[in-house]
Amino acid sequence: MPARLMLLDTASLYFRAFYGLPDTIVRADGTPVNAVRGLLDMIARLTTDYGATHLIACWDDAWRPQWRVDLLPTYKSHRVAVEVADATDVEVVPDALEAQIPLIRHVLDLAGVAVVGAPEHEADDVAGTYASHADGPVDVVTGDRDLFQVVDDARQVRVIYTARGMRNLEVVTDGVVVGKYRVLPEQYADYATLRGDASDGLPGVAGIGEKTAASLLLEYGTLESLLAAATDAGSGLSASVRSKLAAAADYLSVAPTVVKIVRDLDLPTPEEAGARLRPVVGSPRDELERLALEWNLGGSVTRLLAALDLRA
C-alpha cells in the first residue's frame, strides 16, 4: 500500500461525535461514552476508505493560544468558559464530553495512534506543519474551514471535510476551494481575514463580504498587495474600498498572523511519533477488548481493531 499520511483535527472530530450520537450511549454507571465510540468509528472508517498508512491525531495543546489572543482579543472569545490569568482560558466544553477526553487519549494510546500537540499552538498548526513538510500524499480531516489554506494539489495535500457529517464527507482540492470561494487555497487566509469569521471571533473588514473579498484577491493576489494598492493614489482602487481598509487598519495589522496556520513547528517526524498504522497485538489488544466490555464501547473497538488488522 503506497504511503499516505492522515492528520486528524481531533477535537473537531470528537465534538462532532459527541453531538452526533445519542447521549444515552453510556457505561453501566451512567458515564457517557458516545464521543469515544463515535471517534473510534470515524478513525476506522476514514483510515480504511482513504487508504491511510500513517495517522496522527493532532491535538490542541492550547485551543486559544495566548499569542493569538494578544494580537486579537476577540479571537474565539465567545467560546471562553473561564478566563485564566497567564494561562490558556478554559473552553466551553459540555461536562459529558469533558469526562470522555481522558478515555479518548487512553484508547488512542492503546491502539497505537500517534497523538501530537505543540505548546501554545492549536491542532490546526500541528496539521499545517505536517502537511507542509510531508514527502507524500496527505489527507487532513477536519470540520474547520481554516485548514483549507493547506490544500495543495501539486503536493497531494487535500482536506476531508466533515462539516456535513460522516455520510456526506467532501474531499476538498484546489478546484473545490476555487469553486466555493473563488480564491486559491493559498489565498484563503487572506480571504478569511477580509471577510471575517464569526465562529473564530474574526470581525473582518466592515463592508467587505465574501464576493468583494474574492474579487479584490482576484485582482491583487494577496492582502499585502491590496493594502499596498490602498496607499497608492494611482492604483485604481475605489475610494470606497480604500476607506473601508483604512478604517480596519488596526485589525488588518494583526489578523493575518492570527488567521494563518503555523507551518514550521518543531515536531517529531511521523516516524518518530509512531504514525505508521499497525495491527494491535498482545496486552494492548487485550486491554482494548476489556475496555470495550467494561465501558460499553460496543462494536467501535472491534471495528477499529479490524481496520488496523488490515495493515498487517
Side-chain angles (χ1 to χ4, degrees):
M1 182 182 294
R4 177 176 288 275
L5 174 63
M6 177 169 284
L7 304 168
L8 305 181
D9 179 4
T10 314
S12 168
L13 297 185
Y14 64 61
F15 266 93
R16 177 163 296 280
F18 176 76
Y19 287 110
L21 292 176
D23 58 9
T24 53
I25 301 175
V26 296
R27 188 186 182 190
D29 65 0
T31 304
V33 292
N34 57 337
V36 185
R37 284 175 55 163
L39 179 63
L40 297 185
D41 278 333
M42 288 178 183
I43 292 173
R45 176 183 167 186
L46 288 162
T47 54
T48 300
D49 288 359
Y50 295 99
T53 59
H54 296 69
L55 177 68
I56 297 176
C58 303
W59 205 262
D60 284 324
D61 275 14
W63 70 276
R64 187 176 183 244
Q66 189 59 47
W67 60 270
R68 283 190 164 111
V69 176
D70 289 343
L71 291 170
L72 190 65
T74 60
Y75 182 65
K76 295 186 177 180
S77 60
H78 60 295
R79 289 162 52 184
V80 174
V82 179
E83 293 186 0
V84 181
D86 301 320
T88 301
D89 293 329
V90 177
E91 185 179 12
V92 176
V93 180
D95 291 344
L97 173 56
E98 187 76 39
Q100 299 182 61
I101 295 175
L103 182 58
I104 287 172
R105 288 293 299 254
H106 183 48
V107 170
L108 292 179
D109 181 60
L110 288 171
V113 174
V115 177
V116 180
E120 278 301 308
H121 286 85
E122 301 172 57
D124 286 3
D125 302 315
V126 176
T129 296
Y130 279 122
S132 299
H133 297 277
D135 294 328
V138 178
D139 288 329
V140 182
V141 185
T142 184
D144 186 349
R145 293 180 298 178
D146 288 345
L147 278 161
F148 288 176
Q149 62 190 274
V150 306
V151 170
D152 187 340
D153 283 2
R155 298 193 60 254
Q156 302 182 74
V157 178
R158 58 188 187 177
V159 163
I160 310 301
Y161 191 47
T162 64
R164 295 187 297 166
M166 291 298 291
R167 294 183 180 179
N168 297 288
L169 295 173
E170 182 176 18
V171 178
V172 179
T173 59
D174 288 8
V176 172
V177 175
V178 172
K180 283 178 177 288
Y181 305 107
R182 297 193 300 149
V183 297
L184 295 168
E186 57 263 35
Q187 296 174 305
Y188 187 83
D190 287 346
Y191 169 78
T193 298
L194 287 167
R195 175 205 62 194
D197 190 337
S199 67
D200 280 339
L202 301 175
V205 176
I208 294 183
E210 294 186 356
K211 290 183 179 179
T212 302
S215 296
L216 290 170
L217 290 171
L218 177 63
E219 182 171 358
Y220 294 97
T222 65
L223 177 58
E224 183 179 7
S225 295
L226 172 62
L227 295 177
T231 61
D232 179 0
S235 69
L237 188 65
S238 73
S240 173
V241 172
R242 289 177 193 270
S243 175
K244 292 169 183 174
L245 294 174
D250 289 345
Y251 164 75
L252 289 171
S253 69
V254 296
T257 303
V258 174
V259 175
K260 288 180 180 176
I261 287 171
V262 177
R263 298 171 182 247
D264 58 357
L265 293 175
D266 184 13
L267 300 174
T269 66
E271 290 72 23
E272 291 168 343
R276 177 172 287 280
L277 293 172
R278 295 180 173 88
V280 182
V281 298
S283 59
R285 191 181 189 103
D286 294 340
E287 178 64 6
L288 278 173
E289 291 173 342
R290 186 189 69 79
L291 286 174
L293 294 174
E294 180 184 341
W295 284 84
N296 187 31
L297 299 182
S300 299
V301 165
T302 301
R303 286 185 285 273
L304 177 63
L305 290 172
L308 295 176
D309 285 343
L310 296 176
R311 273 68 190 174

